[in-house]
């Protein structure tokens, strides 16, 4: 059996984090790995629920109402934006380190960053200095998001070579589901710490930070990597690589030189752009297009969140049977049809069809995130899939800017040019459909990676590890 | 890998690990579902 060179000096606490110390012993069940991954993803998924703190944080000084010295909502909006930006940056920068250091080290680091971000932000609330929160939750917490997001991906793929889509889908579903836990928990905690002159945000941050640290550390304790050459019972790897499933690994920075990486980058970017714009404006859109009440609109947003989460598991699992490229083909074709039909639901006044179309669309938005790690594994092999996935997440950061901007500005432009509010989103829907047409073309152009990018056999590769025999029993 | 070898994963380990993540997730999903039902009222 082989492992990386650091295995030989694996002693003390530093040694506990080494990849070699996480190699599974005989009898370890691979079904322990998804809950380990979920321990991390359910915690960092809190990011989607950060908005529950926005209004209370505008009343920190008085507790009951906003004073001129309190922070404005526009200032607070930057906290989430910074966190998502640093998610993309850190996953790209630390991807190779995560891959080579192993999942335990990465998960523990993510736990320290994520919990540390909360504790620093609590201090920022206490002294009422906003830049401390920008650094705490935005920068340090954002790095925890990025490292935590990619930390279990390649481990799951290696444990589930028979169902890589389903395995990564489970973890990435957790990221979508984290907000469901964080939102009511945060509201409940703020209620507990709330007094007539105090909103209880700082105390809530401290409690959340501690809870998340414990959960994420549990994940880092129970996670294991499979021994080299391990395969599930009864699983026989295909003898020959198929046209779109490679048996060869590609070095992380060589992947950047391939057209496949950039085509998949655009595939993800365009799929996310189409979904993220409507996700942010879902409440306003259904109220303006179908005149439903704000309470019903909030219910619609909740339903969309559920389909966003469920779609992550459903579509990634389906991709194990359909193939990754075909799954994205379904996303794009179905998306084009549904986006084109949304204005028609407004014209005939069918709320039911409108809701149905957007639930399918948002499930495919979530599915785009969860299917892409397995797509990368098919293209570039398992060796550096986590690191390559980290680089690809910059597409998410880009889409996070473009999606909402397209929806907001096109609506504003239409309304200012006399278009009734009920019809103001129609052009946007057609633009989204066009973006998906471009995505469809990019996906169609994805072919197998050329052999010149494949890594040489171990010992000759450029991964930076010196491979030694550590004699671990398995 | 078998489930019950010495030092390996027991069924109890598996149940506890899945409960740890499953219970809070299920509670959160149920809460969201209850809120989402307002759409149909």
């Amino acid at each position: 059996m082989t492992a990386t060179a650091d295995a030989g000096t694996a002693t003390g606490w530093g040694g506990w984090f080494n990849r070699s110390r996480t190699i599974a012993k005989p009898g370890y069940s691979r079904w322990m790995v998804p809950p380990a991954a979920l321990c991390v993803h359910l915690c960092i998924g809190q990011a989607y629920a950060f908005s529950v703190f926005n209004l209370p944080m505008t009343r920190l000084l008085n507790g009951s109402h906003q004073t001129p010295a309190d922070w404005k909502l526009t200032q607070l909006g930057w906290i989430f934006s910074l966190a998502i930006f640093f998610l993309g940056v850190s996953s790209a920068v630390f991807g190779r380190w995560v891959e080579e250091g192993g999942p335990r080290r990465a998960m523990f680091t993510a736990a320290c960053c994520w919990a540390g971000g909360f504790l620093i932000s609590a201090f920022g609330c206490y002294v009422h200095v906003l830049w401390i929160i920008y650094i705490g939750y935005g920068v340090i917490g954002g790095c925890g998001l990025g490292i935590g997001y990619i930390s279990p991906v390649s481990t799951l793929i290696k444990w589930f070579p028979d169902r890589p889509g389903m395995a990564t889908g489970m973890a990435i579903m957790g990221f979508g589901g984290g907000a469901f836990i964080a939102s009511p928990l945060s509201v409940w905690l703020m209620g507990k710490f709330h007094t007539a002159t105090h909103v209880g945000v700082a105390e809530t941050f401290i409690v959340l930070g501690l809870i998340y640290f414990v959960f994420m550390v549990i994940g880092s304790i129970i996670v294991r990597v499979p021994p080299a050459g391990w395969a599930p019972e009864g699983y026989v790897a295909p003898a020959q690589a198929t046209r779109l499933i490679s048996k060869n690994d590609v070095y992380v920075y060589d992947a950047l030189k391939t057209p496949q990486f950039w085509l998949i980058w655009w595939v993800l970017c365009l799929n996310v752009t189409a979904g993220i714009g409507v996700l942010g404006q879902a409440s306003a859109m259904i109220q303006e297009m179908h005149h439903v009440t704000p309470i019903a609109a909030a219910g619609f947003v909740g339903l969309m969140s559920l389909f966003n989460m469920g779609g992550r598991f459903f579509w990634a699992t389906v991709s194990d049977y359909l193939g990754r490229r075909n799954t994205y083909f379904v996303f794009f074709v179905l998306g084009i049809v549904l986006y084109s039909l949304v204005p028609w639901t407004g014209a005939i006044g069918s709320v039911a069809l409108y809701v149905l179309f957007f639930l399918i669309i948002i499930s495919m938005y979530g599915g785009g995130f969860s299917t892409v790690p397995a797509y990368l594994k098919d293209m570039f092999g398992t060796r550096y899939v986590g690191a390559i996935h980290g680089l690809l997440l910059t597409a998410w950061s880009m889409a996070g800017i473009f999606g909402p901007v397209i929806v907001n500005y096109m609506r504003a432009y239409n309304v200012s040019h006399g278009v009734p509010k009920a019809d103001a989103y129609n052009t946007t829907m057609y633009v989204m459909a066009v973006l998906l047409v471009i995505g469809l073309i990019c996906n169609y152009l994805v072919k197998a990676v050329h052999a010149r990018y494949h890594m040489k056999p171990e010992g000759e590769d450029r991964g930076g590890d010196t491979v030694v025999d550590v004699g671990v029993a398995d | 890998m078998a489930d019950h070898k010495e030092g390996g994963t027991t069924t109890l380990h598996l149940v506890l690990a899945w409960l740890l993540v499953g219970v809070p997730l299920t509670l959160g999903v149920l809460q969201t579902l209850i809120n989402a039902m307002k759409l149909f009222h």
Side-chain angles (χ1 to χ4, degrees):
Chain A
M1 177 186 294
T2 59
T4 53
D6 59 13
T9 56
T11 54
W13 271 100
W16 185 76
F17 292 114
N18 283 341
R19 174 180 273 276
S20 62
R21 292 283 292 273
T22 60
I23 294 174
K25 290 192 165 54
Y28 182 83
S29 168
R30 63 174 173 162
W31 289 100
M32 288 293 280
V33 182
L38 281 167
C39 278
V40 173
H41 272 241
L42 284 173
C43 292
I44 59 176
Q46 182 278 345
Y48 279 140
F50 189 80
S51 59
V52 298
F53 292 112
N54 283 348
L55 278 177
M57 285 173 76
T58 60
R59 304 194 304 265
L60 282 179
L61 294 177
N62 182 283
S64 58
H65 63 270
Q66 190 176 12
T67 67
D70 266 308
W71 297 326
K72 311 282 180 293
L73 273 177
T74 45
Q75 294 173 297
L76 294 169
W78 280 102
I79 301 170
F80 176 77
S81 302
L82 271 172
I84 294 298
F85 176 75
F86 276 92
L87 181 157
V89 170
S90 61
S91 61
V93 171
F94 296 114
R96 186 183 156 191
W97 175 81
V98 167
E99 201 62 68
E100 293 175 351
R104 179 174 290 165
R105 189 191 299 268
M107 285 178 177
F108 188 81
T109 306
C112 292
C113 290
W114 188 233
F118 271 99
L119 298 182
I120 292 167
S121 299
F123 178 68
C125 287
Y126 182 71
V127 296
H128 205 257
V129 177
L130 189 54
W131 65 261
I132 294 179
I133 300 178
Y134 287 160
I135 290 174
Y137 191 94
V139 179
I140 299 172
C143 289
L145 278 175
I147 295 169
Y149 192 92
I150 60 172
S151 61
V153 167
S154 71
T155 305
L156 283 163
I157 287 175
K158 284 165 192 160
W159 275 114
F160 291 87
D162 46 343
R163 282 175 283 181
M166 180 210 71
T168 53
M170 260 191 277
I172 292 171
M173 174 191 75
F175 192 75
F180 297 143
I181 301 167
S183 184
L185 178 63
S186 306
V187 172
W188 182 77
L189 284 171
M190 281 192 284
K192 289 286 168 197
F193 293 118
H194 181 268
T195 65
T197 57
H198 187 68
V199 287
V201 173
E203 292 83 351
T204 302
F205 278 169
I206 292 171
V207 175
L208 285 179
L210 295 176
I211 292 174
Y212 288 147
F213 183 75
V214 171
F215 250 76
M216 292 168 81
V217 168
I218 291 173
S220 76
I221 290 170
I222 63 179
V223 74
R224 296 286 185 281
V225 294
W230 177 87
E233 230 170 82
Y235 173 72
V236 181
Q240 293 287 318
T242 60
R243 199 163 57 89
L244 286 173
I245 303 179
S246 173
K247 286 175 71 73
N248 296 288
D249 294 319
V250 176
Y251 179 58
V252 52
Y253 299 122
D254 283 341
L256 288 176
K257 299 172 192 164
T258 65
Q260 286 80 3
F261 176 87
W262 294 106
L263 287 168
I264 297 174
W265 193 96
W266 278 109
V267 162
L268 181 69
C269 185
L270 292 165
N271 188 58
V272 175
T273 301
I276 207 166
V278 292
L279 194 61
Q281 291 298 319
S283 174
M285 273 170 62
I286 194 169
Q287 287 182 66
E288 291 185 348
M289 284 183 81
H290 291 282
H291 312 292
V292 303
T293 64
I295 292 174
F300 173 57
V301 173
L303 215 49
M304 284 179 83
S305 306
L306 284 173
F307 273 72
N308 176 16
M309 185 187 81
R312 289 169 190 243
F313 181 67
F314 173 78
W315 287 111
T317 305
V318 164
S319 76
D320 286 335
Y321 302 95
L322 271 186
R324 258 48 86 169
R325 196 171 73 155
N326 288 342
T327 305
Y328 275 96
F329 181 75
V330 172
F331 292 166
F332 289 124
V333 171
L334 204 52
I336 292 162
V337 172
L338 294 178
Y339 270 115
S340 305
L341 289 177
V342 165
W344 170 71
T345 69
I348 65 167
S350 174
V351 186
L353 278 178
Y354 175 91
V355 170
L356 177 70
F357 288 178
F358 269 116
L359 292 182
I360 297 171
I361 285 171
I362 220 66
S363 80
M364 297 191 297
Y365 161 79
F369 281 119
S370 58
T371 308
V372 87
Y375 204 167
L376 295 173
K377 172 249 163 202
D378 289 352
M379 287 291 121
F380 303 109
T382 55
R383 176 80 188 265
Y384 282 101
V385 66
I388 297 168
H389 184 217
L391 290 168
L392 196 84
L393 289 183
T394 50
W396 181 4
S397 301
M398 185 75 91
I401 298 166
F402 281 134
V405 165
I406 291 172
V407 173
N408 294 340
Y409 281 85
M410 291 198 72
R411 177 199 168 276
Y413 178 85
N414 284 337
V415 170
S416 67
H417 284 75
V419 177
K421 278 186 175 175
D423 301 327
Y425 293 101
N426 291 358
T427 321
T428 316
M429 297 301 117
Y430 296 132
V431 169
M432 295 297 179
V434 170
L435 290 180
L436 292 180
V437 170
I438 301 169
L440 181 70
I441 295 166
C442 290
N443 190 48
Y444 174 76
L445 293 173
V446 174
K447 312 285 180 206
V449 173
H450 194 280
R452 71 171 176 272
Y453 296 109
H454 294 165
M455 285 174 75
K456 294 180 176 65
E458 284 200 346
E460 297 173 44
D461 67 60
R462 298 157 58 183
D465 287 345
T466 307
V467 179
V468 295
D469 193 335
V470 293
V472 178
D474 65 331
Chain B
M1 291 194 167
D3 273 6
H4 296 288
K5 289 182 185 170
E6 197 178 336
T9 310
T10 64
T11 308
L12 182 66
H13 285 145
L14 275 175
V15 170
L16 286 176
W18 279 99
L19 281 178
L20 181 72
V21 292
V23 169
L25 182 60
T26 307
L27 288 175
V29 167
L30 282 176
Q31 184 68 46
T32 309
L33 210 52
I34 290 165
N35 291 336
M37 286 306 107
K38 289 169 187 164
L39 175 65
F40 303 105
H41 290 164

